[in-house]
Structures are given as structure tokens and as C-alpha cells.
Amino acid sequence: MRTNLITPEGLEALTTELDYLWREYRPEITGKVAWAASLGDRSENADYKENKRLLRSIDSRIRFLRKRIEAVKVVEYSPVQEGKVFFGAWVEVESEHSEVKVFRIVGPDEIYQRKDYISIDAPMARALIKKEVDDEAIVKTPEGEKSWFINKISYQPLVGEK
């Protein structure tokens, strides 16, 4: 099950995508479908078939985005969060083998365009919630339990991040 939490930036990205699809991309493809249909025989018309398929895909995404935007709960930053890992935090962790990872804990809708974001539903995020700097988090993985230590927590991007 997906968590219905999202950062303000994540909601803005979904809203921007919906606006683009509805106001720009869909009308463009609808125009192409109408043009291809005007050529006559649709059974042999690759332009018509491909753009009609694309239009169905766009409509499906628009329906998904509208439902998702209604369902999500925006989580704003609160000063009470400082010093502990909560939703929206940038975290730097280090393994017992000195492997360092830096990421932000966000909603599941936000992770697809960024390699430095992880879902609140991920085992790593779940293990880190409410922990503080220098705390150890035990993460259950398919290979077994792994230990990570928290080096930094911030609600602004850490140095070197966007």
C-alpha cells in the first residue's frame, strides 16, 4: 500500500504535470488524431493508430493524477522536526563498511525523477524515522539486517545537493 503523503514540491510537480498534459500535450495529440482521421481509411493509418494509443495513455495519466492529487496529504516542514528524521528530511547515513548515502525521505509519487529521493515506504526510511544524529538504524533487507549510522539530518538540501 502506498502512503498518501507528499511534500509541497511533490504536489507542485504533480500539478504541473497534470496542467501540461491537459492544456498542452493532449490538445496537440488530439489535433494529430483529427488530422490523421481526416485522411480516410483508419485501418491502415499508422499515424492515426499511434496517436490514438498515445491519447489513451495521456487520458489514463490525467485520470490517475486527478485522483492522486485529491488523495495526497501535503506534509509541511515544522520546526518541531529539527534534530530528528521525519518525512521530508535530507539524511546522510553511513554503513559499518563506510559506505555513505545521502537522500531525502519523500512520498512514493516523488521518487521517480530523482536518484537522491527514497519513499517513506522504503525499509531504510522506516528504520530511520524518529532517529537522531549518531543513532544506529537497523534496516531489514533481502540479504539480512544491515546497520546504518546517521551522520546528518537537515530539512534543507545537504551540501552538494540540489
Side-chain angles (χ1 to χ4, degrees):
M1 181 169 157
R2 295 170 72 169
T3 301
N4 283 339
L5 302 179
I6 196 165
T7 63
E9 301 88 356
L11 179 61
E12 183 180 330
L14 291 183
T15 305
T16 299
E17 180 185 358
L18 176 60
D19 189 57
Y20 167 74
L21 289 174
W22 183 247
R23 296 180 190 275
E24 294 178 39
Y25 196 44
R26 189 180 192 286
E28 174 190 328
I29 300 304
T30 302
K32 288 180 180 180
V33 168
W35 169 80
S38 74
L39 298 177
D41 183 15
R42 296 177 189 169
S43 65
E44 298 292 322
N45 189 330
D47 276 337
Y48 176 81
K49 287 181 177 180
E50 177 58 22
N51 285 302
K52 195 73 172 156
R53 183 199 61 76
L54 189 54
L55 192 56
R56 283 191 301 272
S57 173
I58 292 167
D59 286 346
S60 175
R61 182 68 180 165
I62 287 171
R63 278 191 304 278
F64 170 80
L65 288 170
R66 284 184 174 154
K67 286 179 184 175
R68 194 68 185 143
I69 288 169
E70 285 180 18
V72 294
K73 179 180 185 291
V74 178
V75 177
E76 301 278 351
Y77 164 76
S78 169
V80 176
Q81 296 172 256
E82 282 300 324
K84 289 191 176 191
V85 178
F86 288 104
F87 186 84
W90 284 93
V91 185
E92 179 183 293
V93 294
E94 186 173 348
S95 74
E96 51 209 0
H97 307 295
S98 300
E99 178 186 0
V100 175
K101 292 182 180 278
V102 177
F103 49 80
R104 185 177 189 199
I105 299 172
V106 296
D109 298 291
E110 302 177 73
I111 62 174
Y112 298 103
Q113 307 304 320
R114 303 276 305 252
K115 293 202 183 306
D116 56 346
Y117 279 13
I118 67 168
S119 171
I120 186 72
D121 299 326
M124 173 73 87
R126 292 288 184 202
L128 293 172
I129 294 297
K130 298 184 181 176
K131 299 258 193 278
E132 300 178 21
V133 171
D134 294 330
D135 281 356
E136 177 183 19
I138 305 297
V139 181
K140 292 180 177 143
T141 71
E143 296 85 40
E145 292 184 344
K146 296 196 177 181
S147 181
W148 293 86
F149 295 91
I150 301 172
N151 291 337
K152 295 179 191 167
I153 302 167
S154 174
Y155 287 87
Q156 298 296 317
L158 295 172
V159 177
E161 300 300 317
K162 292 181 182 179

